[in-house]
Amino acid sequence: MIQITLPDGTIKSFKKDSTPMDVAKNISEGFARNVISAKFNDVTIESSTPLTKDGKLVLYTFNDADGKKAFWHSSAHVMAQAIQQLYPGVKLTIGPSIENGFYYDIDFGDNVVSEKDFPTIEKKFLELARGKHEFKMREVSKADALAKYKEEGNQYKVELIENLNDGEITFCDHSDFTDLCRGGHIPNTGIIKAVKVMSAAGAYWRGDEKNNQLTRIYGVSYPKQKMLTEYLELLEEAKKRDHRKLGKELELFAFSAKVGQGLPLWLPKGAALRERLENFLKKAQKKAGYEMVITPHIGQKELYETSGHYAKYGEDSFQPITTPKEGEEFLLKPMNCPHHCEIYNHKPYSYKELPKRFAEFGTVYRYEQSGELHGLTRVRGFTQDDAHIFCTPDQLDKEFKDVIDLVLYVFKSLSFDNFTAQVSLRDPENKEKYIGSDENWEKAENAIINATKEKGLDYVIEYGEAAFYGPKLDFMVKDALGRSWQLGTIQVDYNLPERFELSYKGADNQLHRPVMIHRAPFGSMERFIAVLLEHTAGKFPLWLTPEQVIILPISEKYQIYAEKVLNLLENSEIRALVDDRNEKTGRKIRDAELNKIPFMLIVGEQEEGEETVSVRKQGEGDIGTLKINDFISLINKEIDSTLEKF
């Protein structure tokens, strides 16, 4: 008998060679029908894999991330089989699962695949899936694996196998199809009930433009047609909410080929929006004891060599700027923290003067590859709402918790209510990626975990996601469409203070090293605004929206009264404008709706005579006639209800 430990701590005895599916059936026949994948002692296995020793078993359904991973990886096999049958002679390379679905990179030779071929591929895929073919893993010797793919003339698989050793090579079989694979599949193809080929794109073998260009076929599949339909509807809604589309329609930002890829230009409305976000955070930071600083956009190369950023980002960054002086080199700054370390270093501090909290909306630059640029979410120049806190070890816990409170204040004020805290630690198996001693890393990681627990945050731990100089607490926010975004980060750093030889004089009159906290509640202004645009579909909170009110006179006769209303609103710090175009009122209302202006005030003879306004709310319609002061009160009340107190 073997002892199997389940996630809830329950230990059950089973016969040796029992499978994960046997365990699932022991729990519940209904549960077993939904189990599609498993992990045993943290290793992904099939639900049919015999269990030969004691261990921890996790069973997954499609509702679990690991279940989806197995489902979509298995689907990639079926799609490869379908394409191989439709296009004999193609050469398969790799086909992993991705966040939403899967892809397979294929050398189609002389064949060309376009969108018109997608229905044929889908039809063949479902025909094969209905066969309910089991996925079976088997170990293969390196010699046999090489012989198979050399005979097929598939140099891509040969290259993959040449980098493996005997005992590391496995094939997956289903139906008459075989593929080189490490494992992690669903029980059989019949579980896949719906598929959609999403797109085809060029992709270089192993991402190297010196290699052959392949065709990457993207797909997504589900165990129910209804789930696929809902996903496709969600994609359509996402297209409507695309921040690039909305940014153009609302005249917030633009890009110019002459300025350069990945370098956004903020238009007047967008600049005003950014300014309001900045002022919102500056006000809260001032209450929290932060001091604003400003640093240059460039720094000497030596600065970033000291910090470690040059070693980390140098190859992927903009190249050094040389000056007429021989040997002098500057870099566009990739991060603000080295500059803030030097601000701290400009004078000596006593422990009585700590913590020091330096904040800056500082623009930084990274040379992202052109293929990775995407609207505002992936750019080459972006502004971080950066701050660095220099404190004593005894102050670290309180300071970290105070930053958590600031991040939560930002999220609540902008209706980001659904989020998870991610404790991002270094990869224990790959420590050379990071700087600093094990002791400092352990102290920093424990500080984050303890503060997160004490604040009662719902959190997960992710290994390998730390910054190169320290662990961090990342906030993973779900938007209105259920998509997850990383917004806001807090990091504990014992390493940069050592690299920059920062110090303070303690109560013992000796010099000590401060601890450094990096934090950015927004993350980057560009990315944050992009996510906010898509989350709200362009309908920003009333306190933030570029134009809160538009006044619509029904004819030129009421222009003077419209201007009077405008002045009263502006005197109450309400952002408003008058639509004085020679258009029908219905057209003006439609345009105001499209521009997502929250309130429309229609003024005519009756309103002028009674000194009132007829009020429409965007998306809701008429809400009645109000005295101007009552309308101002309505606006202020709504702002107060949505803007959190800090």
Side-chain angles (χ1 to χ4, degrees):
M1 302 293 284
I2 55 173
Q3 305 299 308
I4 302 300
T5 304
L6 299 175
D8 64 358
T10 302
I11 300 175
K12 292 192 173 189
S13 298
F14 291 89
K15 292 180 180 178
K16 189 178 179 181
D17 292 329
S18 294
T19 67
M21 189 57 73
D22 293 329
V23 177
K25 288 177 180 177
N26 179 267
I27 296 170
S28 155
E29 286 288 342
F31 174 63
R33 283 194 291 272
N34 292 312
V35 167
I36 58 176
S37 180
K39 266 188 181 176
F40 187 65
N41 290 336
D42 294 324
V43 176
T44 299
I45 59 172
E46 319 298 305
S47 62
S48 58
T49 302
L51 305 176
T52 59
K53 60 184 178 181
D54 298 348
K56 296 179 180 179
L57 179 68
V58 184
L59 300 166
Y60 297 116
T61 71
F62 186 79
N63 293 328
D64 301 305
D66 282 277
K68 287 184 174 71
K69 185 176 180 180
F71 191 94
W72 286 330
H73 173 60
S74 303
S75 299
H77 281 295
V78 180
M79 187 170 72
Q81 181 189 17
I83 289 172
Q84 198 171 57
Q85 289 191 14
L86 291 168
Y87 304 92
V90 298
K91 297 175 183 178
L92 305 176
T93 65
I94 57 171
S97 64
I98 53 177
E99 185 177 2
N100 286 300
F102 56 90
Y103 70 77
Y104 214 112
D105 285 348
I106 300 170
D107 185 341
F108 276 88
D110 295 330
N111 296 296
V112 177
V113 175
S114 65
E115 195 170 343
K116 66 180 175 58
D117 301 305
F118 294 175
T120 304
I121 296 172
E122 292 163 4
K123 183 180 178 182
K124 175 60 73 172
F125 180 110
L126 291 174
E127 176 189 313
L128 294 168
R130 282 192 287 270
K132 297 183 179 180
H133 306 291
E134 292 183 10
F135 290 94
K136 297 179 179 178
M137 296 294 296
R138 58 187 169 94
E139 191 171 310
V140 183
S141 70
K142 185 170 183 176
D144 288 347
L146 286 171
K148 169 183 167 56
Y149 286 111
K150 283 180 180 178
E151 183 181 346
E152 293 180 6
N154 189 329
Q155 70 271 31
Y156 308 103
K157 297 288 191 184
V158 169
E159 184 178 326
L160 292 172
I161 294 165
E162 283 176 342
N163 292 318
L164 299 173
N165 301 311
D166 274 316
E168 299 175 339
I169 302 167
T170 49
F171 282 176
C172 177
D173 302 318
H174 78 270
S175 179
D176 60 353
F177 181 78
T178 296
D179 204 358
L180 175 69
C181 182
R182 291 178 179 172
H185 303 93
I186 58 179
N188 66 74
T189 61
I191 295 170
I192 309 168
K193 303 294 187 185
V195 67
K196 180 73 175 175
V197 179
M198 302 301 294
S199 63
Y204 291 107
W205 169 237
R206 292 194 153 180
D208 188 340
E209 60 185 18
K210 296 176 184 177
N211 292 334
N212 291 347
Q213 187 171 48
L214 310 172
T215 301
R216 177 169 294 179
I217 306 291
Y218 287 95
V220 68
S221 56
Y222 284 91
K224 295 179 181 177
Q225 178 62 46
K226 180 185 176 185
M227 297 171 77
L228 175 60
T229 301
E230 289 172 349
Y231 173 71
L232 295 177
E233 288 172 351
L234 189 70
L235 284 186
E236 285 303 309
E237 180 61 26
K239 287 179 185 177
K240 296 176 190 174
R241 290 170 176 255
D242 189 315
H243 75 276
R244 296 166 298 177
K245 173 177 175 287
L246 291 172
K248 184 177 181 179
E249 292 172 356
L250 300 177
E251 297 183 1
L252 299 178
F253 60 88
F255 289 91
S256 162
K258 287 187 176 68
V259 173
Q261 286 185 301
L263 300 170
L265 301 170
W266 290 93
L267 306 178
K269 289 181 184 178
L273 177 77
R274 273 185 58 145
E275 184 179 27
R276 277 188 289 280
L277 279 171
E278 288 184 13
N279 290 340
F280 156 75
L281 187 56
K282 283 178 181 177
K283 185 177 178 181
Q285 287 180 162
K286 187 174 182 181
K287 286 184 180 179
Y290 288 83
E291 300 171 279
M292 295 301 299
V293 297
I294 298 174
T295 61
H297 290 248
I298 65 173
Q300 286 202 106
K301 182 179 174 183
E302 179 189 358
L303 176 71
Y304 309 112
E305 288 176 332
T306 300
S307 68
H309 287 95
Y310 185 73
K312 178 70 176 176
Y313 297 114
E315 289 185 6
D316 300 321
S317 196
F318 289 93
Q319 291 305 296
I321 303 165
T322 58
T323 72
K325 183 178 178 182
E326 187 176 346
E328 187 174 56
E329 291 182 308
F330 288 81
L331 290 177
L332 288 169
K333 69 175 173 182
M335 294 291 273
N336 298 301
C337 34
H339 295 252
H340 289 194
C341 286
E342 287 302 291
I343 286 177
Y344 179 90
N345 246 347
H346 90 284
K347 71 171 208 176
Y349 289 102
S350 157
Y351 72 97
K352 295 179 181 178
E353 297 173 276
L354 299 187
K356 297 300 294 181
R357 308 179 188 95
F358 298 134
E360 175 183 17
F361 286 87
T363 303
V364 298
Y365 303 89
R366 311 266 178 83
Y367 188 78
E368 302 285 358
Q369 297 298 315
S370 59
E372 296 176 341
L373 298 174
H374 182 81
L376 294 180
T377 59
R378 200 71 180 265
V379 289
R380 288 174 173 169
F382 55 95
T383 302
Q384 293 179 308
D385 58 322
D386 231 344
H388 297 92
I389 301 168
F390 302 89
C391 62
T392 68
D394 291 342
Q395 295 167 334
L396 174 61
D397 184 63
K398 180 181 183 304
E399 290 298 315
F400 196 92
K401 290 176 186 172
D402 286 348
V403 176
I404 290 176
D405 289 338
L406 181 61
V407 172
L408 298 183
Y409 163 67
V410 169
F411 287 175
K412 287 176 183 175
S413 294
L414 291 160
S415 300
F416 285 119
D417 303 317
N418 188 357
F419 63 88
T420 300
Q422 176 180 299
V423 178
S424 299
L425 308 181
R426 67 174 174 169
D427 182 353
E429 304 300 322
N430 197 6
K431 293 181 180 178
E432 63 273 10
K433 286 169 51 180
Y434 311 92
I435 62 173
S437 66
D438 287 346
E439 180 187 2
N440 282 345
W441 273 90
E442 286 171 14
K443 286 191 291 186
E445 289 177 346
N446 288 334
I448 289 178
I449 292 170
N450 292 338
T452 303
K453 284 180 179 176
E454 289 173 27
K455 293 301 291 186
L457 294 179
D458 177 23
Y459 75 96
V460 295
I461 291 178
E462 291 290 343
Y463 292 95
E465 295 297 318
F468 73 94
Y469 49 77
K472 54 183 180 167
L473 181 64
D474 291 324
F475 290 84
M476 314 304 291
V477 176
K478 281 197 173 180
D479 67 13
L481 298 182
R483 300 170 302 180
S484 188
W485 303 88
Q486 192 262 305
L487 295 178
T489 185
I490 318 172
Q491 303 164 7
V492 176
D493 184 1
Y494 283 84
N495 293 311
L496 286 190
E498 284 190 2
R499 284 181 163 243
F500 282 92
E501 299 181 348
L502 308 184
S503 65
Y504 66 89
K505 187 169 285 188
D508 58 0
N509 216 31
Q510 301 297 311
L511 291 180
H512 299 270
R513 195 77 73 204
V515 185
M516 189 174 175
I517 298 174
H518 307 242
R519 50 110 284 203
F522 291 143
S524 87
M525 299 298 292
E526 287 72 14
R527 182 180 174 82
F528 191 88
I529 289 173
V531 175
L532 185 62
L533 258 173
E534 299 195 4
H535 178 58
T536 62
K539 294 173 66 172
F540 296 112
L542 188 57
W543 65 268
L544 181 61
T545 194
E547 290 150 346
Q548 296 167 318
V549 179
I550 188 165
I551 305 160
L552 312 177
I554 63 173
S555 75
E556 289 181 13
K557 289 194 294 183
Y558 308 107
Q559 183 69 27
I560 293 174
Y561 180 61
E563 295 291 342
K564 178 182 176 181
V565 174
L566 176 66
N567 289 335
L568 290 170
L569 295 178
E570 288 181 339
N571 289 339
S572 297
E573 297 185 350
I574 293 171
R575 297 183 293 280
L577 72 159
V578 175
D579 186 345
D580 56 6
R581 294 177 300 159
N582 186 24
E583 296 282 359
K584 291 182 179 180
T585 304
R587 171 66 185 274
K588 292 180 178 182
I589 290 172
R590 283 194 299 274
D591 289 348
E593 289 276 353
L594 288 172
N595 288 322
K596 305 185 189 300
I597 299 175
F599 288 96
M600 290 150 267
L601 304 184
I602 299 162
V603 296
E605 183 179 3
Q606 181 178 340
E607 288 80 14
E608 183 180 44
E610 298 174 355
E611 294 199 333
T612 60
V613 288
S614 184
V615 185
R616 285 181 64 92
K617 193 168 185 182
Q618 201 265 345
E620 296 182 18
D622 293 323
I623 61 174
T625 300
L626 297 174
K627 291 286 187 182
I628 297 171
N629 285 338
D630 290 338
F631 175 70
I632 291 170
S633 297
L634 182 150
I635 289 274
N636 290 331
K637 185 176 180 181
E638 184 165 329
I639 290 173
D640 287 342
S641 69
T642 56
L643 191 57
E644 292 288 316
K645 298 292 184 291
F646 183 74

